[in-house]
């Protein structure tokens, strides 16, 4: 077992990428992802990591180069945030449809305008439908562990889909936390060398990316979708295996004090600790509040989620992104729809909080839980509500 | 002269490679000069290549599922990123060779193909990045002087006066109002070892240049003039004639830029008037004598400029 | 009225991985010869076997026979007329295809 040492999360993530023995990195700097790619550059420059680092001229080219690289059979990593992720948008769909298992860490940040370097989830929520495996880390240890997991799952021959690990920009990426980096042998045991099903090689020519005429497009999409849904099983197995080797257990959905909860807060990402404190305080005050955290966002773990919220009367979804004019924040809309067919389902109230670096405090969570209780008696006027906004 | 090129004897009509890395059965229009340019370029490169295509005519006509005309490994991702995708392929090969996961001594040429739109316009940034980073790859622009795949819209490479669907002539317009963007000069400005222009009418010249581009270490750029009967309103059988006339009128001069030095590879001492070239194409039919004079002057001036570049160094 | 899916090339279960095409150059199975309205006809008397027709054919549709003549493969020839126009000896004539 490796030692637990205090490290900046971005540095630890870069170290984990190194331990995954990546062959190629193509990335373009953007706050708050920068420390990850700077550290990787350093590792390559001083020979600690034997990889090609392509200093591309944009994120669009970063992801494009990653596709070329994976297709040639190299393990490939990139990382970005916000505007950079938005610039990649077009290519993200192509990555998954062509089954090219790039792994990317997104240091989540608000989207412009107004331009903001601070944290929320607008960037990743705009990428909901790109067909990548998507997970959200709560803390530094989890961020690192999800990187190993992402490579292992993405490159699994039964999967072959790209994966994004989301870490909250600054509030997680720049934190100094005690993190245990496993020994290299353990990582090697967990992550076998990349052996793609097909690759670009003159010894066995294939054509990747042909025109999908109407007589095949639907079938191609169906095949992609089925394969993607099947990735779920491999994701779970890879976490089981992870537990065996590293001793830490991960599930698609985490719960906290949910046993008899009437009201549950639902979050993704690094706000969990604050939310747990709020739950503890409310429990002390006699309110039956619990917390649900979604770790695996795509493919959406429907069963795990439904099980996690069973018996709850009101689910208060805390979205970190705004979908203007929609019927709720993106996560709220998703779970409302997920629950619709469930008998005795909880009601869902949608809160938008923590935009562009606005703090979400224990008090804010308490306010949301209280509102959730209130809405049990009286229906909310609006389909979603912004929290922490000065009137 | 670059030492990588020292041993290269050049192709001749007698020793043409037999292999056709690009197969028939593709859907290019009758008499397509672009697919001919593509075919000849691949013939020069041979079978040990990995090819990247940008979206555009050549990608569409070569890969309607379940058929492919590519006998070499091929990947198409999007319109504006062929150079970036090729960067990734090249970097991967480098890493895999170094780590012993791809045979070290096996030569694989990485080549990116894009149209003039995919090169001069939407893909210029990715191209510039890849050239500047020094990847060992060949970038081939197949220039048919408009966005043909989407129905003949103007590009930065559309020549002055040409009619396209987004540069229609009218009371307030003569058609394309701007002069052709000089992409080879942009490529050369990156200080890369090899830049060349070519046309299928001079097929040996084309094949030799593409081969040289592959042989040099580092990035190489080849700009191939590619007649498009559909977009130009010319006869399919005239594609080679037009490609030859473009050179003979000095509209599309053939040259190389090796390590920054310009070499004219086909001097045109007695140029034909541009009109001979223009009149074979419907896209220029609306031009008046005055316009044609204007074009002639510009062509003369550009050729002078090129001569000076080739001489003073 | 048939259903939309009746036009599908194959079941989704049969779609190759990533919709890749695994057989290189299989477009040879697609016959472009029926696009043709003119056909190149060679006069062997005039031909000097220079190969211009073969090298300039965009398909390519020419193959060399044992005697060294370049023979058009009508499976692919689209009848563009380039070969006839580049032949230095005028050995190729385009004749109309009878239907
Ligand atoms: C981002 C993006 N914008 C626009 C298009 C539409 N599009 C596809 S090909 C093309 C034009 C291609 O022109 P060119 O590169 O000159 O190639 P050609 O078809 O002429 O060979 C356009 C506009 C696209 N596919 N992607
Ligand atoms: S439109 Fe022009 S470039 Fe495109 S296939 Fe037809 S002839 Fe060739
Ligand atoms: S171009 Fe004419 S002369 Fe030359 S090989 Fe073809 S048919 Fe014969
Ligand atoms: S007519 Fe055109 S397609 Fe047919 S053989 Fe001649 S050049 Fe090729
Ligand atoms: Mg074009």
């Amino acid at each position: 077992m490796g030692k637990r040492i205090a490290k900046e999360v971005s540095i630890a993530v870069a170290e984990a990428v190194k331990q995954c023995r990546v062959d190629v990195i193509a990335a373009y700097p953007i706050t708050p992802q920068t420390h990850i790619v700077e550290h990787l550059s350093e590792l390559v420059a001083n020979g600690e990591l034997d990889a090609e680092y392509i200093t591309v001229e944009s994120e669009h080219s970063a992801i494009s180069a990653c596709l070329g690289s994976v297709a040639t059979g190299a393990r490939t990593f990139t990382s970005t945030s916000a505007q950079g992720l938005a610039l990649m948008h077009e290519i993200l769909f192509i990555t998954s449809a062509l089954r090219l298992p790039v792994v990317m860490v997104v240091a989540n940040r608000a989207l412009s305008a107004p331009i903001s370097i601070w944290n929320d989830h607008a960037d990743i929520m705009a990428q909901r439908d790109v067909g990548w495996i998507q997970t959200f880390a709560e803390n530094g240890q989890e961020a690192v562990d999800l990187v190993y997991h992402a490579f292992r799952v993405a490159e699994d021959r039964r999967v072959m889909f790209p994966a994004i690990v989301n870490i909250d920009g600054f509030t997680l990426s720049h934190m100094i936390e005690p993190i245990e980096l496993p020994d290299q042998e353990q990582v090697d045991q967990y992550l076998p060398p990349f052996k793609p099903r097909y690759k670009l090689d003159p010894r066995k020519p294939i054509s990747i990316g042909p025109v999908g005429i109407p007589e095949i497009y639907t079938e191609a999409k169906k095949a992609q979708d089925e394969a993607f849904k099947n990735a779920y099983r491999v994701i779970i197995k890879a976490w089981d295996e992870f537990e065996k080797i590293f001793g830490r257990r991960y599930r698609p959905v985490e719960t906290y004090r949910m046993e008899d909860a009437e009201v549950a807060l639902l979050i993704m990402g690094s706000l969990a600790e604050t939310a747990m404190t709020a739950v503890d305080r409310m429990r002390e005050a006699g309110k039956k509040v619990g917390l649900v955290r979604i770790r695996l966002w795509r493919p959406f773990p429907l069963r795990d989620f439904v099980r996690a919220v069973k018996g709850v009367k009101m689910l208060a979804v805390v979205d970190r992104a705004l979908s203007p004019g929609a019927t709720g924040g993106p996560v709220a809309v998703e779970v409302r729809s997920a629950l619709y067919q469930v008998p005795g389902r909880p009601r869902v109230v949608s809160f938008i909080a923590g935009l562009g670096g606005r703090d979400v405090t224990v008090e804010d969570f308490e306010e949301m839980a209280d509102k959730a209780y209130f809405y049990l008696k009286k229906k909310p006027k609006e389909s979603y509500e912004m929290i922490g906004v000065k009137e | 002269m670059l030492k990588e090129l020292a041993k290269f004897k050049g192709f001749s009509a007698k020793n043409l490679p037999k292999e056709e890395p690009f197969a028939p059965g593709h859907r290019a229009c009758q008499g397509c000069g672009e697919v001919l340019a593509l075919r000849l370029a691949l013939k020069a490169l041979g079978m040990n290549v990995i090819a990247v295509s940008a979206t555009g005519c050549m990608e569409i006509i070569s890969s309607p599922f379940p058929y492919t005309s590519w006998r070499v490994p091929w990947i198409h991702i999007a319109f504006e990123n062929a150079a970036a995708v090729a960067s990734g392929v090249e970097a991967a090969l480098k890493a895999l060779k170094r780590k012993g996961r791809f045979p070290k001594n096996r030569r694989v040429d990485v080549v990116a193909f894009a149209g003039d739109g995919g090169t001069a316009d939407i893909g210029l940034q990715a191209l510039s990045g890849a050239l500047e980073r020094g990847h060992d790859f060949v970038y081939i622009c197949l220039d048919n002087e408009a966005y043909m795949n989407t129905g003949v819209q103007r590009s930065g490479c559309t020549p002055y006066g040409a009619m396209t669907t987004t540069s229609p002539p009218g009371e307030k317009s003569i058609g394309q109002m701007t002069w052709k963007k000089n992409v080879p000069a942009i490529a050369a400005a990156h200080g890369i070892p090899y830049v060349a222009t070519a046309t299928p009418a001079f097929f040996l010249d084309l094949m030799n240049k593409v081969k040289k581009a592959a042989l040099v270490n580092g990035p190489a750029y080849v700009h191939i003039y590619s007649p498009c009967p559909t977009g130009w309103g010319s006869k399919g059988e005239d594609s080679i004639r037009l490609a030859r006339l473009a050179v003979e009128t000095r509209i599309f001069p053939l040259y190389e830029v090796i390590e920054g030095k310009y070499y004219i590879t086909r001097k045109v001492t007695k140029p034909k008037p541009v009109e001979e070239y223009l009149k074979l194409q419907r896209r220029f039919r609306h031009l008046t004598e005055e316009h044609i004079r204007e074009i002639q002057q510009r062509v003369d001036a550009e050729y002078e400029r090129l001569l000076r570049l080739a001489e003073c160094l | 009225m048939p259903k939309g899916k009746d036009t599908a090339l194959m079941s989704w279960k049969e779609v190759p991985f990533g919709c890749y095409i695994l057989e290189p150059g299989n477009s040879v199975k697609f016959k472009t010869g029926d696009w043709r309205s003119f056909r190149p006809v060679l006069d062997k008397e005039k031909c000097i076997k220079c190969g211009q027709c073969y090298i300039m054919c965009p398909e390519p549709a020419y193959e060399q026979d044992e005697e060294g003549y370049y023979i058009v493969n009508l499976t692919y020839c689209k009848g563009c007329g380039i070969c006839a126009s580049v032949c230095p000896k005028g050995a190729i004539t385009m004749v109309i295809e009878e239907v």
Side-chain angles (χ1 to χ4, degrees):
Chain A
M1 254 317 142
K3 276 195 300 265
R4 230 170 132 80
I5 16 181
K7 262 189 195 303
E8 184 187 321
V9 173
S10 290
I11 305 300
V13 163
E15 297 280 345
V17 170
K18 179 196 105 180
Q19 288 189 310
C20 291
R21 301 185 186 280
V22 295
D23 301 308
V24 174
I25 300 155
Y28 191 81
I30 180 167
T31 307
Q33 149 265 42
T34 35
H35 290 182
I36 299 173
V37 297
E38 286 167 2
H39 193 62
L40 283 168
S41 311
E42 211 176 300
L43 293 172
V44 172
N46 64 24
E48 284 181 65
L49 169 57
D50 183 7
E52 287 296 309
Y53 189 116
I54 316 177
T55 50
V56 280
E57 81 298 334
S58 74
E59 288 86 355
H60 196 284
S61 285
I63 188 66
S64 301
C66 285
L67 268 66
S69 167
V70 179
T72 311
R75 179 168 290 163
T76 308
F77 178 79
T78 188
S79 178
T80 191
S81 299
Q83 309 308 120
L85 188 61
L87 192 55
M88 289 182 178
H89 183 65
E90 179 201 22
I91 308 303
L92 299 181
F93 290 89
I94 304 172
T95 320
S96 53
L98 296 182
R99 310 290 296 274
L100 299 172
V102 179
V103 169
M104 162 152 65
V105 170
V106 177
N108 301 113
R109 158 182 159 179
L111 281 176
S112 197
I115 191 158
S116 159
I117 58 168
W118 292 278
N119 170 238
D120 71 25
H121 291 172
D123 56 1
I124 191 62
M125 285 302 141
Q127 310 302 340
R128 190 189 59 181
D129 299 334
V130 294
W132 288 50
I133 295 163
Q134 297 184 26
T135 53
F136 281 79
E138 181 198 335
N139 54 42
Q141 187 66 57
E142 186 174 337
V144 163
D145 291 349
L146 288 179
V147 168
Y148 308 119
H149 179 257
F151 276 109
R152 158 108 183 207
V153 172
E155 294 174 359
D156 187 298
R157 282 183 166 214
R158 294 162 293 178
V159 178
M160 296 290 283
F161 279 107
I164 289 175
V165 176
N166 288 287
I167 65 174
D168 281 314
F170 290 119
T171 56
L172 181 54
S173 66
H174 285 49
M175 290 295 115
I176 303 206
E177 293 188 8
I179 295 169
E180 179 185 314
L181 284 175
D183 296 333
Q184 184 64 51
E185 298 86 76
Q186 286 179 303
V187 178
D188 291 341
Q189 189 192 343
Y190 183 63
L191 183 61
F194 178 34
K195 294 218 175 82
R197 280 166 66 162
Y198 300 98
K199 59 183 180 204
L200 297 170
D201 186 334
R203 290 168 294 184
K204 198 176 181 310
I206 54 167
S207 291
I208 303 180
V211 179
I213 54 173
E215 290 75 15
I216 197 66
Y217 188 87
T218 304
E219 283 69 28
K221 282 309 193 192
K222 170 76 174 165
Q224 179 188 341
D225 189 44
E226 287 299 321
F228 191 62
K229 287 189 286 190
N230 287 336
Y232 174 84
R233 265 174 272 148
V234 182
I235 292 170
I236 303 298
K237 281 222 179 86
W239 272 328
D240 292 342
E241 185 80 3
F242 190 91
E243 189 180 0
K244 274 188 222 142
I245 297 177
F246 304 95
R248 287 180 294 275
R249 181 179 166 79
Y250 293 106
R251 296 287 95 185
V253 178
E254 295 294 335
T255 56
Y256 180 69
R257 303 190 80 166
M258 283 295 290
E259 311 77 49
D260 55 347
E262 292 169 341
V263 163
L265 294 162
L266 173 72
I267 58 147
M268 298 206 296
S270 67
L271 280 180
E273 230 156 284
T274 319
M276 283 193 275
T277 310
V279 166
D280 289 344
R281 288 228 291 226
M282 301 195 77
R283 285 276 176 177
E284 271 162 42
K287 291 176 196 156
K288 292 182 176 171
V289 178
L291 176 70
V292 177
R293 180 164 69 88
I294 296 177
R295 177 177 287 119
L296 176 64
W297 171 236
R298 284 290 181 275
F300 189 79
L302 184 61
R303 285 217 194 118
D304 305 78
F305 171 73
V306 171
R307 209 177 310 127
V309 300
K310 198 154 182 259
V312 168
K313 289 195 183 125
M314 179 66 92
L315 191 58
V317 183
V318 187
D319 260 289
R320 311 287 316 284
L322 181 66
S323 173
T327 55
V331 180
V333 168
E334 178 93 16
V335 303
R336 238 187 229 140
S337 136
L339 289 168
Y340 187 73
Q341 306 282 4
V342 177
R345 61 176 182 258
R347 305 239 314 263
V348 174
V349 59
S350 169
F351 297 115
I352 317 287
L355 297 188
R358 174 62 45 87
D359 281 341
V360 189
T361 62
V362 173
E363 287 70 22
D364 289 322
F365 277 115
E366 285 177 320
E367 180 191 335
M368 289 186 266
D370 281 337
K371 282 194 166 177
Y373 266 113
F374 176 73
Y375 290 140
L376 272 173
K377 285 177 241 126
K378 194 167 177 294
K379 242 177 75 185
K381 280 206 226 47
E382 305 281 351
S383 45
Y384 59 92
E385 195 173 321
M386 265 205 210
I387 297 296
V389 54
K390 198 173 176 101
E391 290 300 334
Chain B
M1 195 37 109
L2 283 161
K3 64 176 183 313
E4 302 98 275
L5 301 180
K7 278 206 201 116
F8 179 57
K9 296 272 184 322
F11 296 106
S12 71
K14 293 260 158 359
N15 74 351
L16 289 178
K18 287 268 174 293
E19 283 145 341
E20 295 286 352
F22 196 79
H26 59 75
R27 322 282 174 104
C29 312
Q30 291 158 319
C32 174
E34 187 172 3
V35 80
L36 174 57
L38 172 61
R39 174 196 159 216
L40 293 173
L42 281 167
K43 209 170 167 58
L45 291 169
M47 300 301 283
N48 278 321
V49 307
I50 296 177
V52 179
S53 280
T55 312
C57 269
M58 293 305 103
E59 164 263 329
I60 300 284
I61 61 96
S62 67
S63 75
F65 186 88
Y67 298 118
T68 180
S69 291
W70 300 84
R71 290 177 170 136
V72 293
W74 174 79
I75 185 167
H76 156 248
I77 301 291
F79 183 23
E80 64 281 53
N81 63 356
V85 176
S87 305
V89 173
E90 188 258 6
L93 282 175
K94 228 175 174 173
L96 295 178
K97 280 187 179 180
R98 195 168 59 227
K99 295 182 174 189
R101 280 160 44 212
F102 192 92
K104 269 204 176 57
N105 298 323
R106 205 184 162 87
R107 189 192 169 91
V108 178
D109 291 314
V110 179
V111 57
F113 291 101
D116 48 300
T119 302
D121 298 343
I122 200 166
L124 190 61
Q125 173 184 320
L127 171 62
S128 174
L131 296 182
E132 170 266 321
R133 291 190 298 272
H135 296 279
D136 187 11
F137 82 121
V138 182
Y139 187 99
I140 297 181
C141 170
L142 300 168
D143 180 8
N144 55 14
E145 304 195 317
Y147 302 160
M148 296 312 176
N149 177 49
T150 37
V152 200
Q153 294 88 16
R154 64 84 76 184
S155 81
C157 281
T158 302
Y160 179 76
M163 169 182 72
T164 71
T165 52
T166 53
S167 63
E171 217 153 279
K172 302 233 162 95
S173 170
I174 68 147
Q176 175 87 340
M177 308 270 258
T178 51
W179 297 94
K180 188 179 177 79
K181 193 188 281 192
N182 189 343
V183 190
I186 296 173
H190 289 78
I192 59 174
Y194 190 81
V195 173
T197 63
T199 152
F202 301 96
F203 67 93
L204 283 174
D205 179 70
L206 182 154
M207 289 176 67
N208 286 332
K209 284 171 173 169
V210 170
K211 190 69 186 177
K212 284 182 183 175
L215 286 173
V216 299
N217 296 325
Y221 177 87
V222 185
H223 195 100
I224 309 185
Y225 170 92
S226 310
C228 165
T230 308
W232 295 4
S234 54
K235 290 194 208 144
E237 69 199 57
D238 280 345
S239 286
I240 295 302
R241 191 172 160 206
L242 279 167
R244 185 181 300 274
L245 273 172
V247 176
E248 291 169 347
T249 55
R250 295 176 167 176
I251 284 176
F252 189 86
L254 297 179
Y255 58 91
E256 290 177 317
V257 191
I258 304 176
E259 288 188 302
K261 289 188 193 173
Y262 277 73
Y263 301 90
I264 295 181
T265 47
R266 192 168 191 97
K267 284 225 172 67
V268 182
T269 38
K270 288 192 203 107
K272 294 187 171 158
V274 294
E275 192 173 1
E276 256 188 63
Y277 167 83
L278 301 175
K279 71 180 183 207
L280 293 172
Q281 307 167 58
R282 202 162 54 236
R283 63 175 173 157
F284 296 118
R285 201 170 47 186
H286 58 283
L287 295 182
T288 62
E289 266 174 39
E290 198 190 311
H291 295 140
I292 294 173
R293 246 196 323 277
E294 208 183 339
I295 293 172
Q296 184 69 63
Q297 277 165 8
R298 172 83 176 201
V299 166
D300 293 344
E302 284 293 313
Y303 199 80
E304 281 300 315
R305 202 183 57 81
L306 184 67
L307 283 178
R308 279 200 304 278
L309 279 171
E311 272 161 18
C312 68
L313 284 157
Chain C
M1 185 71 180
K3 289 191 171 172
K5 67 180 174 188
D6 294 338
T7 58
L9 289 180
M10 58 185 72
S11 151
W12 67 266
K13 292 171 193 147
E14 295 157 359
V15 175
F17 178 84
C19 212
Y20 295 2
I21 302 171
L22 304 174
E23 191 188 347
N26 67 351
S27 67
V28 292
K29 292 179 192 161
F30 188 78
K31 321 282 185 222
T32 50
D34 53 9
W35 297 16
R36 193 175 57 239
S37 36
F38 289 89
R39 173 165 40 112
V41 176
L42 172 68
D43 180 350
K44 285 191 180 174
E45 304 273 282
K46 291 187 185 162
C47 175
I48 55 163
K49 304 176 183 175
C50 68
Q52 291 280 324
C53 49
Y54 143 79
I55 198 75
M56 293 300 191
C57 172
E59 304 316 318
Y62 274 100
E63 289 147 23
Q64 208 171 10
D65 71 5
E66 288 109 61
E67 295 170 73
Y69 288 108
Y70 291 91
I71 306 299
V72 68
N73 182 343
L74 291 172
T75 321
Y76 304 115
C77 167
K78 292 173 187 164
C80 68
I82 286 182
C83 52
S85 84
V86 298
C87 173
K89 293 289 156 190
I92 301 171
T93 7
M94 298 303 290
V95 301
I96 201 152
E97 283 283 0
E98 307 291 344
V99 269

